[in-house]
Amino acid sequence: MAGGLMGQWAATLPAVGLALAVLLVPGLGAAYAAGLRGIPAWGLAPPISVSVVAVAAVVAAAVGVRWSLAPAAVTALAVAAAAGAWGRARRLPAPDSGSLVLLPAAATAGAAALAAGAVVLGVGRPDRFPQTFDAVFHLNAVARAVETGNASSLALGTLTSPERSSAFYPGAWHAITALVASAGVDVAAAANAVSLAIAAVWPLGCLFLVRQALGRSLPALLVAPVVSVGLGAAPFLLLSYGTLWPNALATLLLPAALATGAALTGLASDDALGRGHAWVASLAVLPGLALAHPNAVVTTAVYAVVLATGAQLARAAGRPARGGRRRLVRVAAGWAGCAALAAVVLWGIAVSPFFASTRGTDWPARQTVAQAAGEALLLAPQRLPVSGALALLGLVGLVAALRRPRLWWLVGCHAVAAALFVLAAGSDSELAQSLTGPWYNDAFRFAALLPVTGVPLAVLGFTVLGEGVGSAWSRAGAPARPWAWSRRLPAMTAWGVGVAFLVVVTQGVNLRENAEVVGTWYRSQALVSGPERELLDRLDAVVPAGSRIVGNPWNGSALAEAVGGRQVLFPHLNGAWGRDRVTVASSLADLSDDAAVCPAVRRLGADFVLSGPSTFWPGDRRQLQYAGLQVQGRRGFEPVASGGRLTLYRITGCRTVAASPGP
C-alpha cells in the first residue's frame, strides 16, 4: 500500500515542484535583487511570491490576459528589477557566517521533508480531497479559474454571486493552485500539491523569525526547523479542517511578517534585515497577506500594536531616566502613538463595517475557558495531541522571555493569540463575538496562530535548557587540555545530544500525529463516496463539452465541476444565486407544470441534472432551497448514467441535448 501511495505521489512530483517554485522563485528573485542573502532572503521569499502571484492574477484579468505562468513570470521579473534598482544603493547588516546559514539550511531541508511526509501520509492518494463545506467552493473556484483563465481576487466571488460582474474573494491560493492545475493535473491533485508545498515551506518563515528574535545562535537556528514541524496546529491543521486552504496560506506568511515588524521597531536581535529593507519588505508582503486572507492583515495589525508597545517598553528598560522635558515629550508621544494604533485596530476588529458580516458568524464554545487556556499553554489547541517535549520547551521559553525585556514583544504576541483562541474556543459572550469577528469566531483559525510565536518560544526554551546543561557539565568536569576544541567539547556535545534527542522525541511520534491531523477531514465521504466519485470522474465521457449541469450541491453534485470538468449551476452549497437559479432550484421537477421553469433553464443553459439524496449535514435548512432538483420519476427527464446515490438525467422537457450513451 505504501509503495502504491508513493508511486501515485511520484507521478505528482512535477506539480509539487511547480507549487514549490511558485511559492519561492518570485520572492527569491526580488529578495536577492534587493541585496538580501541567506535566512532573510529565504524567509521573505514565500510572502513576496504570494504577493507577486496574487497581484499578477488581478492585473492579468484587468488587461484581458489569460491566467498562466506567463503573466506571473512577467510580474516577477518586473518586481525583481524594481527591487534591484532600489537595493543597489542600500546598505544591509553584516551577513551571517557560513555555518549560520548552511547548517540551518540543511536542518530546514530535513524539516521540510518531514512536513511533506506528514501531508502525504495524511492525504493518502493525491487525487483525494476533504469533503467539507469550504472545500467545495475552493475546488470549484480553481476549476472555474482554469476554465475561464481568470483567477483575479476581484472575480472569484462571482462563483457564488453569478449575476454580479465582479465580487471580491481573496484569491492568492486559488491563483497559485490554478497555475499548478494548468500544468496537467486535476484540481484535487493540484490542491494537495500546494498543501504539500505550504507545509514544506513553513520552516523558512519560522527560521527567519527565530533569527530575528534570538539572533546569531547556531543551536537556535538548528533546532528551529525541527520545532516548526512538530506542532500540529500549523502548518497542518488548516490544510484539512474547513477546509481553510486560503487561511493556511495566509498563516504561512505570518512568521516572516512578524520578523519584519521586529526589524521595523528595532526589536530584532542582531537584526539581519535592517530597517530600510524592512520597510520595503513590509510593502511587498502586504498584498500577499490581504489576498491570501484578510484576517492575516488583521493579525499583523495586532502584532504591530504589540511590537510598538514592546519597543516603548524596551526603550524605557534600556535608557537611564534623564533628558528632562524633551525626553518626557518623546515618551509621551510614543505612548500616545501606541494608544492611537491600538484604538484603530480595536475599532477595525470590533466595530468597523469591514468585518460586520464575519462578526455575525457564531461557532458555539465547545470547551471551558480553563480547558482552552490549558491547551494554549501546552501548544496543543483544539484537542490536538500534546507533544510533551515541545510543551515543556514552550513553557521554559515563555518564562525565559518574560525575564528579557527585549523579548516581551514575543510574549505579548503569543499572549494575544492565546487570549483570542481562549475567547473563541471557550466563550459565547458578546465580547468574544466582537473581538474574534475577522477570524469568523473560529477557534481553529486562532489555533493555527499559536505556533507562529510558539515556535520561537520553544526554541528559546531549548537554548536555555541547553545552556544550563552545558554549564553544569563544564563545572562538573571541565577538561584541562588547552586546545580550543576541547574546551568547547562539553557545550558542543550537549547541543548535539539535545538536537538529536529533540528530533527523535518530536518527529518519531509527531510525524504520525501530524499525518492524523491532516487526514482527519480527508476521511469523510459525506458528499461523495466511491460510486458517486466514479460517476463524476466519467462525466466528461457522458456530458458534452460546454453543457451545464444543475444539481443540489448538498448531494455532491457541485463537485461535478472540480472533479468531472463540467460546469455546474450551483458550484457551492450556498450563494446569492439570482432569480433564474432560484426558480430552477425550487421548481425544476415541476417543469411540465410551471411555466417559469423552462425559460429559466434555457437562459441558464442547463442541459443535465444530477439528482439524488443528500447525506451531508442532514438537517441543515439551507438544503431546502434545492428541493425542486429531486427529479426521479418526474416527466421531462431521461436517465443517462448513475453511480451510488446520484443519477444523471438529461433535461428533455425543455429542449433536447445530445449525450453520449451512459454505461
Side-chain angles (χ1 to χ4, degrees):
M1 179 178 176
L5 179 62
M6 291 302 106
Q8 293 172 357
W9 276 94
T12 315
L13 281 179
V16 173
L18 178 57
L20 286 168
V22 172
L23 281 176
L24 290 174
V25 173
L28 277 176
Y32 270 74
L36 295 177
R37 298 292 185 271
I39 292 173
W42 285 84
L44 283 167
I48 296 175
S49 293
V50 172
S51 289
V52 168
V53 173
V55 170
V58 173
V59 173
V63 300
V65 174
R66 187 174 180 83
W67 180 236
S68 67
L69 286 173
V74 169
T75 306
L77 289 172
V79 171
W86 178 85
R88 196 172 295 123
R90 300 301 192 279
R91 281 189 172 186
L92 277 166
D96 293 337
S97 63
S99 62
L100 286 175
V101 176
L102 296 178
L103 293 177
T108 301
L114 290 169
V119 173
V120 168
L121 293 174
V123 169
R125 298 190 322 272
D127 63 343
R128 287 178 70 193
F129 52 86
Q131 299 194 23
T132 61
F133 188 95
D134 290 56
V136 175
F137 172 86
H138 296 312
L139 293 171
N140 281 333
V142 172
R144 190 70 60 88
V146 173
E147 179 188 359
T148 63
N150 186 351
S152 169
S153 296
L154 302 180
L156 281 180
T158 62
L159 190 75
T160 53
S161 299
E163 295 197 348
R164 296 179 59 180
S165 58
S166 65
F168 175 79
Y169 191 90
W173 180 88
H174 308 85
I176 292 168
T177 309
L179 288 178
V180 177
S182 298
V185 298
D186 62 52
V187 170
N192 291 327
V194 173
S195 289
L196 190 152
I198 288 172
V201 166
W202 166 256
L204 291 173
C206 294
L207 179 63
F208 180 34
L209 179 55
V210 168
R211 170 63 184 82
Q212 292 292 85
L214 304 183
R216 292 184 170 93
S217 167
L218 181 57
L221 297 178
L222 275 175
V223 80
V226 178
V227 173
S228 73
V229 297
L231 298 172
F236 305 106
L237 182 61
L238 298 188
L239 296 177
S240 181
Y241 166 76
T243 295
L244 305 179
W245 287 311
N247 224 140
L249 178 66
T251 304
L252 168 69
L253 314 183
L254 289 175
L258 183 54
T260 303
L264 276 176
T265 52
L267 292 171
S269 178
D270 291 327
D271 187 10
L273 186 58
R275 191 163 291 180
H277 279 73
W279 277 111
V280 175
S282 299
L283 296 176
V285 167
L286 186 59
L289 291 169
L291 297 178
H293 204 291
N295 68 31
V297 177
V298 183
T299 302
T300 304
V302 172
Y303 289 159
V305 173
V306 178
L307 285 166
T309 305
Q312 284 293 107
L313 291 172
R315 281 192 287 268
R319 289 180 180 176
R322 62 171 181 263
R325 183 177 299 175
R326 184 176 298 177
R327 179 182 180 276
L328 288 175
V329 169
R330 284 199 304 268
V331 170
W335 284 114
C338 290
L341 179 60
V344 170
V345 172
L346 184 61
W347 174 85
I349 291 172
V351 180
S352 78
F354 303 114
F355 298 104
S357 60
T358 58
R359 280 195 295 271
T361 306
D362 183 17
W363 290 97
R366 297 182 179 179
Q367 55 189 311
T368 66
V369 168
Q371 288 172 322
E375 290 182 347
L377 277 175
L378 297 177
L379 300 177
Q382 293 299 85
R383 298 179 175 85
L384 291 176
V386 177
S387 170
L390 295 181
L392 173 63
L393 293 179
L395 292 171
V396 172
L398 185 62
V399 173
L402 284 169
R403 300 175 64 182
R404 305 182 186 189
R406 289 192 67 83
L407 287 179
W408 286 350
W409 62 272
L410 188 60
V411 176
C413 289
H414 191 69
V416 171
L420 290 171
F421 166 73
V422 170
L423 283 174
S427 174
D428 290 320
S429 66
E430 291 186 9
L431 176 65
Q433 192 73 17
S434 297
L435 294 181
T436 61
W439 299 268
Y440 295 85
N441 185 231
D442 189 349
F444 284 91
R445 299 177 199 254
F446 290 114
L449 296 180
L450 292 175
V452 174
T453 46
V455 167
L457 287 173
V459 171
L460 175 61
F462 175 84
T463 61
V464 168
L465 291 179
E467 288 166 358
V469 171
S471 298
W473 190 350
S474 296
R475 287 194 302 269
R481 287 168 294 187
W483 300 295
W485 69 268
S486 67
R487 290 197 303 271
R488 295 170 58 189
L489 184 60
M492 292 168 58
T493 305
W495 288 125
V497 170
V499 171
F501 176 77
L502 190 63
V503 171
V504 172
V505 169
T506 61
Q507 300 309 319
V509 176
N510 289 15
L511 177 63
R512 295 191 301 273
E513 291 179 342
N514 290 335
E516 281 292 311
V517 171
V518 174
T520 300
W521 283 274
Y522 274 82
R523 288 192 287 267
S524 169
Q525 293 189 326
L527 281 166
V528 290
S529 60
E532 291 90 30
R533 175 69 187 264
E534 291 175 6
L535 172 61
L536 297 183
D537 282 333
R538 66 178 191 268
L539 282 179
D540 58 351
V542 179
V543 177
S547 296
R548 282 180 162 184
I549 298 173
V550 61
N552 176 0
W554 294 78
N555 67 14
S557 63
L559 292 165
E561 185 156 351
V563 176
R566 293 296 180 259
Q567 195 173 120
V568 296
L569 290 188
F570 300 108
H572 191 32
L573 282 69
N574 202 30
W577 299 124
R579 180 177 299 177
D580 282 348
R581 281 176 171 80
V582 169
T583 298
V584 169
S586 63
S587 308
L588 180 65
D590 302 321
L591 60 81
S592 59
D593 301 318
D594 191 333
V597 174
C598 280
V601 168
R602 295 189 187 99
R603 285 191 294 268
L604 294 171
D607 305 312
F608 295 86
V609 57
L610 267 171
S611 184
S614 169
T615 59
F616 185 79
W617 290 9
D620 193 304
R621 297 186 60 83
R622 287 173 292 183
Q623 300 187 40
L624 299 178
Q625 62 184 306
Y626 306 104
L629 299 180
Q630 191 69 273
V631 301
Q632 182 179 6
R634 297 300 187 98
R635 289 183 299 163
F637 304 94
E638 177 186 340
V640 175
S642 64
R645 293 177 288 102
L646 298 180
T647 300
L648 178 71
Y649 296 87
R650 181 171 58 237
I651 302 174
T652 58
C654 295
R655 60 180 179 178
T656 301
V657 178
S660 304

